Amino acid sequence: MLIKKPDDIKPSEITSESVYQERRRFLGMAAAGTALLASGGILLPQHGFSATPDLKSLGKLQKSPFSTGEELSTFEEITTYNNFYEFGIFKDDPVRKADLLKTDPWSVEIAGEAEVTGTFNLEDILKPHPLEERIYRLRCVEAWSMVVPWVGFPLGELIKRFKPTSKAKYVAFTTLYDPTQFPGQNYKTLKWPYVEGLRIDEAMHPLTILAVGLYGKEMPNQNGAPIRLVVPWKYGFKSIKSIVKITFSEQQPQTSWTISNASEYGFYSNVNPAVDHPRWSQKRERRIGEFLKRETLPFNGYADQVASLYSGMDLKKHY
Ligand SMILES: Nc1nc2c(c(=O)[nH]1)N[C@H]1C(S)=C(S)[C@@H](COP(=O)(O)O)O[C@H]1N2
Ligand SMILES: [Mo]
């Protein structure tokens, strides 16, 4: 079933009246003929969205040896089927409302356990880092996946510049909080602002990138402009969008989805077909645009590179 009536929504699925309001709005839209196609249990926006404006090309890019050779998801798939709850809970909310977000000027605060801290213009954050193309699988916790040609650079290279101290065991990330630009923040779907975190060794791992674009162009707002995290071996929700703050900390930081439902979304959230989500299996996934499901791979196929980060850890306990 795709669209639930408000009284079908279990408390475990959602927290508050706000989503009730969101669903009412959605049902109203659907009734008015706003097109959403149901396809194999996944809501796909109808073709022809034009909310993605002309995006600046990012020029010549290095090709990364870390890229997968798999077939890319299309630009349209990547930019019209999104999770970005700041714009709303439906897959087409981000593309419909993307224009509300203003990404220029943008600054990023670096805080906590580091020798260099402060607030920096995005240009100054980016300047020393050559951009490269990284084609990664993205596996959402909802059991769908895409292949995205990100443009970015290793987060570890940025971290080194700010000289974290020996107390910096974790890195926390915060998304912009501004309900005038992010209408979804008027609803209590999550505790705002959206926050995420990594262990410092995960953050320093060469596969972890900050992305500023995709398909060779600047990042579309709906994908997390102007700068977002991409951690390809973890469920998509770890890859936080529209970052305004990076904090080095000694304690494990809070994360939005764990605050919302700790039994369903853990801190690690490594892609793991052997650990089901309490409400659905994680054994298989649907590649957006395909009909048959495919097997989900441990660490989303990046086990050779990252499994050693977790040696000795019980990944059923640390889900
Ligand atoms: N700030 C913020 N970041 C976010 C989300 C969000 O709702 N807010 N959704 C996450 C989820 S669940 C996924 S699957 C990915 C989706 O990224 P994409 O829309 O670029 O495919 O973004 C993640 N980052
Ligand atoms: Mo996700």
Side-chain angles (χ1 to χ4, degrees), residues 77-88 91 94 138-142 144 146 148 150 174-176 182 185 190 192-196 214 219-224 228-230 234-243 256-257:
E77 286 163 344
I78 295 168
T79 60
T80 62
Y81 187 85
N82 299 99
N83 272 340
F84 200 166
Y85 275 31
E86 284 82 344
F87 287 117
K91 296 291 183 272
L138 174 98
R139 169 56 158 85
C140 180
V141 73
E142 297 165 330
W144 50 265
M146 295 197 199
V148 184
W150 301 113
T174 309
T175 294
L176 175 70
F182 283 144
Q185 290 177 337
L190 288 172
W192 308 112
Y194 195 104
V195 286
E196 257 305 336
L214 56 83
M219 191 67 80
N221 285 356
Q222 59 270 36
N223 294 89
R228 56 111 31 108
L229 184 68
V230 181
K234 293 179 180 282
Y235 291 119
F237 65 84
K238 298 293 291 182
S239 292
I240 182 173
K241 296 175 168 180
S242 304
I243 295 168
S256 288
W257 284 99

Side-chain angles (χ1 to χ4, degrees), residues 24-309:
R24 278 191 47 145
R25 182 180 61 77
F26 172 71
L27 293 169
M29 277 171 15
T34 308
L36 285 166
L37 300 176
S39 157
I42 288 181
L43 282 172
L44 290 172
Q46 210 176 43
H47 289 249
F49 278 104
S50 58
T52 303
D54 289 340
L55 297 161
K56 219 173 67 206
S57 165
L58 293 172
K60 244 196 142 21
L61 300 166
Q62 303 179 29
K63 302 265 176 216
S64 169
F66 292 113
S67 288
T68 162
E70 279 167 274
E71 195 186 329
L72 301 182
S73 300
T74 65
F75 182 81
E76 187 180 8
E77 286 163 344
I78 295 168
T79 60
T80 62
Y81 187 85
N82 299 99
N83 272 340
F84 200 166
Y85 275 31
E86 284 82 344
F87 287 117
I89 62 169
F90 296 103
K91 296 291 183 272
D92 64 332
D93 279 328
V95 66
R96 288 172 181 285
K97 299 174 193 170
D99 279 353
L100 292 169
L101 175 64
K102 299 299 167 219
T103 58
D104 187 17
W106 191 271
S107 55
V108 178
E109 184 186 350
I110 311 284
E113 299 292 345
E115 284 176 33
V116 187
T117 57
T119 300
F120 304 88
N121 293 329
L122 183 63
E123 298 73 51
D124 296 327
I125 291 277
L126 298 180
K127 213 176 284 162
H129 300 287
L131 296 179
E132 54 185 62
E133 181 173 78
R134 288 278 183 112
I135 303 170
Y136 279 164
R137 290 180 286 277
L138 174 98
R139 169 56 158 85
C140 180
V141 73
E142 297 165 330
W144 50 265
S145 63
M146 295 197 199
V147 178
V148 184
W150 301 113
V151 180
F153 61 93
L155 170 64
E157 299 297 319
L158 177 133
I159 289 178
K160 283 184 212 155
R161 287 167 57 204
F162 294 93
K163 302 192 169 66
T165 70
S166 60
K167 284 188 177 167
K169 304 278 194 288
Y170 296 89
V171 189
F173 305 87
T174 309
T175 294
L176 175 70
Y177 178 75
D178 182 352
T180 66
Q181 301 186 60
F182 283 144
Q185 290 177 337
N186 292 304
Y187 301 92
K188 293 191 169 105
T189 42
L190 288 172
K191 185 168 178 240
W192 308 112
Y194 195 104
V195 286
E196 257 305 336
L198 297 171
R199 231 169 45 190
I200 189 93
D201 59 337
E202 298 176 321
M204 294 301 296
H205 193 281
L207 281 177
T208 303
I209 60 168
L210 286 170
V212 295
L214 56 83
Y215 264 108
K217 294 180 174 169
E218 303 176 291
M219 191 67 80
N221 285 356
Q222 59 270 36
N223 294 89
I227 185 163
R228 56 111 31 108
L229 184 68
V230 181
V231 194
W233 70 94
K234 293 179 180 282
Y235 291 119
F237 65 84
K238 298 293 291 182
S239 292
I240 182 173
K241 296 175 168 180
S242 304
I243 295 168
V244 292
K245 188 174 181 186
I246 299 177
T247 311
F248 298 98
S249 66
E250 192 166 16
Q251 305 302 324
Q252 182 176 304
Q254 295 242 305
T255 63
S256 288
W257 284 99
T258 305
I259 295 168
S260 145
N261 194 333
S263 65
E264 299 193 355
Y265 310 103
F267 177 79
Y268 284 93
S269 290
N270 294 315
V271 173
N272 191 345
V275 177
D276 287 339
H277 184 278
R279 290 185 279 128
W280 59 82
S281 166
Q282 294 292 23
K283 285 190 186 59
R284 299 190 305 150
E285 68 198 52
R286 189 187 307 282
R287 184 66 49 89
I288 297 300
E290 291 181 1
F291 182 68
L292 294 175
K293 288 193 178 176
R294 52 173 76 209
E295 303 283 305
T296 285
L297 300 171
F299 299 103
N300 200 24
Y302 300 94
D304 287 352
Q305 290 108 300
V306 300
S308 62
L309 294 175

